[in-house]
Amino acid sequence: MIYFDKVTKEYRDGTPALEDVTLSISPKEFVSIVGHSGAGKTTLLKMLLAEEKPTDGSVFFESVDIHTLPKSALHHYRRKIGTVFQDFRLIPNKTAYENIAFAMEAAGRPDDEIESDVPYILELVNLGDKAHHFPSQLSGGEQQRVAIGRAIINQPDVIVADEPTGNLDPVNTYEIIEIMKKINELGTTVILTTHNKGVVDAMGKRVITMDKGRVIRDDQNGHYIL
Ligand code: ADP
C-alpha cells in the first residue's frame, strides 16, 4: 500500500536527510521507526504526508505517486492519513469532544454522524468521562488520547505518529501504546517513530531502524538496537 522507491531527500539548504530509502508497508501493519535524532525519521513521515518532496525517487500510496498529485487530489489523499504529534496540537479553547468534532466538521460530516461518532471514539480512547474538559484540564496522556481520537475520527487508512510518547511518563506511554495497538487491531495501519526502547521491545512488531538517512535494519518482531 505504501512504497518508498529509492527516496533521497536533501533540504534546500543542502542538508541530506534521506539517502536511497526503499521500503514498503502493507495494509494493517504496525511499524515502528527508530533511530538517533537527525536520522531522518520525521523527514520520512513528511514525505508520506506530502509535506516535503523527494529530491530523487518516488513515494507511492496505493500505486499512486503522491508527489505528482494535483492540489485538489492531495487534499483528498491527506484525509486517508491521520496524524499524531509529540506536542498534541489540540485547540486550547475547545473541549475534548469539540476538538474531535471539529475534525469531522472540517471534513464536512453531518451533525448526526458527529453526535454518534464522537462519543464512540471518546470511549475508544478511554476518555468517556472527560468529554467536556479543555486541554488545560487534562494530563499529557489524556491530551494525547484526544489527539489520537481526532486522528482516527474520519476513519483514515493509516495513522502516522511522530514521537507520540515523547512527552509522557511510562504509565501514560503504556496507555498510548495500548490504544495504538487497539486501533491497529481494528484495521488501521500504524506507523510511529520513537526513541523509547521499552515501547519498541514490548510491541513485538516490525521495526525499521534508520541512521544518517538510511534504513540500516528492517526486522519483523524487531527490537530496538542502536
Ligand atoms: P529525526 O526525525 O530522525 O530526528 P529529521 O528527519 O528531523 O530526523 O532530520 C534529518 C536531517 O534533516 C537532520 O540533519 C536535520 O537537521 C535535517 N532537517 C530536518 N528538517 C530540515 C529542514 N526543514 N531544513 C533543513 N534541514 C532539515
Side-chain angles (χ1 to χ4, degrees):
M1 169 215 256
I2 294 166
Y3 181 53
F4 280 68
D5 185 24
K6 301 194 183 83
V7 174
T8 291
K9 174 67 180 178
E10 202 172 276
Y11 282 102
R12 265 177 294 279
D13 63 2
T15 310
L18 294 177
E19 185 68 43
D20 199 24
V21 170
T22 295
L23 59 88
S24 59
I25 297 175
S26 303
K28 304 183 184 178
E29 264 198 283
F30 193 122
V31 183
S32 304
I33 301 174
V34 305
H36 294 298
S37 185
K41 305 181 293 296
T42 301
T43 302
L44 191 79
L45 299 187
K46 284 185 172 164
M47 294 285 146
L48 179 59
L49 295 167
E51 287 176 10
E52 291 284 350
K53 273 189 187 300
T55 310
D56 218 341
S58 310
V59 180
F60 296 91
F61 188 92
E62 286 164 354
S63 307
V64 174
D65 180 344
I66 58 169
H67 294 279
T68 64
L69 289 172
K71 250 199 174 134
S72 53
L74 205 53
H75 190 63
H76 180 73
Y77 163 70
R78 289 202 179 109
R79 287 261 157 86
K80 296 178 189 223
I81 306 183
T83 49
V84 176
F85 300 97
Q86 180 171 358
D87 54 358
F88 320 137
R89 303 193 189 177
L90 300 176
I91 302 170
N93 61 352
K94 288 189 188 292
T95 63
Y97 183 101
E98 289 165 348
N99 263 280
I100 298 173
F102 187 66
M104 291 186 81
E105 287 162 21
R109 306 269 297 275
D111 287 351
D112 60 331
E113 275 185 29
I114 295 176
E115 281 158 27
S116 67
D117 288 7
V118 176
Y120 167 76
I121 289 295
L122 281 165
E123 288 298 329
L124 186 73
V125 298
N126 301 334
L127 281 175
D129 56 339
K130 301 272 168 84
H132 303 297
H133 288 227
F134 291 93
S136 60
Q137 299 170 309
L138 297 170
S139 72
E142 289 167 344
Q143 290 182 60
Q144 192 60 300
R145 283 187 272 140
V146 177
I148 292 171
R150 178 180 59 185
I152 60 175
I153 193 72
N154 291 317
Q155 294 145 20
D157 297 330
V158 182
I159 292 282
V160 164
D162 199 2
E163 292 277 358
T165 63
N167 283 338
L168 304 178
D169 62 28
V171 172
N172 281 302
T173 293
Y174 177 78
E175 191 162 15
I176 293 298
I177 294 305
E178 285 304 305
I179 288 169
M180 291 289 207
K181 277 162 80 172
K182 190 157 76 176
I183 290 166
N184 178 244
E185 280 156 18
L186 292 171
T188 308
T189 308
V190 176
I191 305 171
L192 66 84
T193 70
T194 183
H195 274 102
N196 191 319
K197 178 172 166 41
V199 164
V200 173
D201 290 352
M203 206 94 71
K205 304 271 190 187
R206 181 174 173 196
V207 180
I208 294 173
T209 309
M210 299 191 64
D211 186 41
K212 299 189 185 80
R214 290 180 180 272
V215 172
I216 58 163
R217 295 180 68 98
D218 187 347
D219 303 309
Q220 300 297 333
N221 300 318
H223 292 274
Y224 193 112
I225 304 169
L226 270 176

